[in-house]
Amino acid sequence: MSKLQVDNIVNKADNGSPTLSKGAIVTGVCTSTSFDGSLNATQLASGTIPDARFPSTLPAIDGSQLTGIDALPSVDLVVSGTLVDGQPVIIKTDGTVAGVASTGTHSTAKEIPTITNPIEIQSGGSTNAQTIYDPSSGKVIFIAKDGNNSQRGTAWVGTVSSTNITVGSATVFSNDGSGGTVEGNMQYEGSATYHSGQQRIIIAYNGSSSQPAYVVAGEVNGNSMTFGNAVSFGGNGANYCKVTYDANADRILIVYKHNAGDLYAVSGSVSGSTITLGSTSQLDSDAVDYIDVLYDPDAQKNVVVFQGASNYFYSRVVTITDPANNTWSSGTKQTVASENIQDKSLAYDTVNDKMVVAYRNASQSSNLYAVVGTNNGTEMTWGTGVVVHNTNAEIPQLLYNPRAKRLLFSYMDRTNSEYGSMVIGQVSGNTVTTSSDPNKYVAYNAVITSPGAMSYAPSVGQVVVPYARWSGGSAFKAVLASMDTFSVVGNMDSENFLGFSNGAYTNGQTAKIQTVGSIDDAQTGLTIGKKHYVQTDGSLSTTAGNPSVLGGTAISATKIVVKG
């Protein structure tokens, strides 16, 4: 190979660089003071490109076609269970992720009830205050004689929260015998029950001594009620009516007293708001008084308690034997207590399968007593009555709270200026016990009070305690009583919240979880600009739960900036 050694190469015209039309191969280092033309940067092995070769402003980059790059913080982890898009997520101890969810509930009974301030249902002259819970609507129905409307039987629909009651419009169900959809003047105490088969409120009531008793079915429609035609029974002089629903027979059972003092019963069917009654028959002839009746769901029988001969305390078990013909039969009469027993109220303990009666024992200074009974199908076996409150107690009302697993007694305390009072009790074997705390008796109305039948609102865990105020201005009022502390138990603690699921995943799949600093867009109903806390059931709320876990801040109704 020939060798060319030169110090300077120029073109033929001696005025520029030579043109190498076939190219040139340089072995070794080529040094140049400048370069003009195109250069493939991949062929540069070393060296520095001068700053002047870069523009002062870089061109905009369109990243829409880029893949495999996460613009917002996230992690990819294996799912335990299933996830839905936008669901809050925890990291488990095994490194997998799961949706925030409740795993159960926990209730701790209180020894002393916590009550709200009195809430007015209706002002002026209402008496015979009652309540009944309607599970189909989640409402509590208030029933009373309306002193502002000629003592007519009236119902109000109440929406109960944890601290208040919102009352709808009044609906009259007794029109003083003037015809129309309902009849009868509700002069004496009536009662109500819920018919689960037809989702109706059944109210039994009586008119004056010259009128029969009546029963009517009502349906909740929003914040008011509609009633069917009232059906009469018992003839003139029927009074002190009590009604219960026999779920096994799908029939109502009404017991009542006639002016002559005998105890009668009648069974009936309900279809929509239409009631059809069978024939009334005598249940007892011992100059009865102070009646109550309640269905025992375990024995599938109806328990009737009443004051009878010598003012003693008796019971009977009633079975609806032929629902098609609305006929019934009664077991042997049992003596509950050989004492002068007056006002009384029944409740059924569904945990211990026991019937409990609260009553005023006139033979023992009118103290508040309770007795526990067991139903064998045809008759009751009763324990020994025990003192619940050593005070002159009138008009006792009794309710069993299934969540707290406790009884609540409400009564007029004559020893304490006739104020409304309450106390929590518990079934223990065949007796009732109360707390040893000397402050267990709680006055809920500091005026003369006539308590009414209570009801339990399960959605808020509150007992509705109604009463008619007899002094300081007559009114129909209620307080709410909390009997337990309640919490939802879940899989989230104060530290394991991770973020929100970016998509739906099944067990074993790898899920993308949007973590702190990311934006989740799969929410609904958020409050813009507010912090939202993750609840133990996986929902979001602007109120902190227990534990308090911040999920993020809403920037729209559907988007949340994850904070954790």
Side-chain angles (χ1 to χ4, degrees), residues 121-150:
I121 309 302
Q122 196 265 354
S123 62
S126 294
T127 58
N128 301 129
Q130 309 282 332
T131 63
I132 186 73
Y133 177 68
D134 181 349
S136 61
S137 65
K139 307 285 188 178
V140 171
I141 313 306
F142 295 85
I143 303 164
K145 292 192 307 183
D146 188 352
N148 295 330
N149 190 19
S150 304

Side-chain angles (χ1 to χ4, degrees), residues 7 12 85 110 135 229 239 319 329 397 413 431 479:
D7 291 327
K12 184 176 180 179
D85 192 15
K110 297 178 180 178
N229 294 320
N239 54 53
T319 304
S329 65
Q397 305 291 337
D413 187 352
T431 190
V479 297

Side-chain angles (χ1 to χ4, degrees), residues 135-224:
S136 61
S137 65
K139 307 285 188 178
V140 171
I141 313 306
F142 295 85
I143 303 164
K145 292 192 307 183
D146 188 352
N148 295 330
N149 190 19
S150 304
Q151 303 297 324
R152 290 184 172 90
T154 304
W156 297 261
V157 175
T159 302
V160 181
S161 70
S162 59
T163 58
N164 197 21
I165 303 170
T166 302
V167 182
S169 57
T171 305
V172 173
F173 59 82
S174 69
N175 286 327
D176 198 19
S178 60
T181 58
V182 291
E183 301 176 5
N185 182 30
M186 191 176 177
Q187 180 176 348
Y188 301 110
E189 186 175 9
S191 72
T193 191
Y194 178 72
H195 192 301
S196 58
Q198 296 294 315
Q199 298 183 341
R200 295 294 192 274
I201 300 297
I202 309 299
I203 304 174
Y205 60 100
N206 42 271
S208 65
S209 58
S210 62
Q211 293 178 322
Y214 295 88
V215 61
V216 66
E219 181 181 16
V220 175
N221 290 300
N223 294 317
S224 63

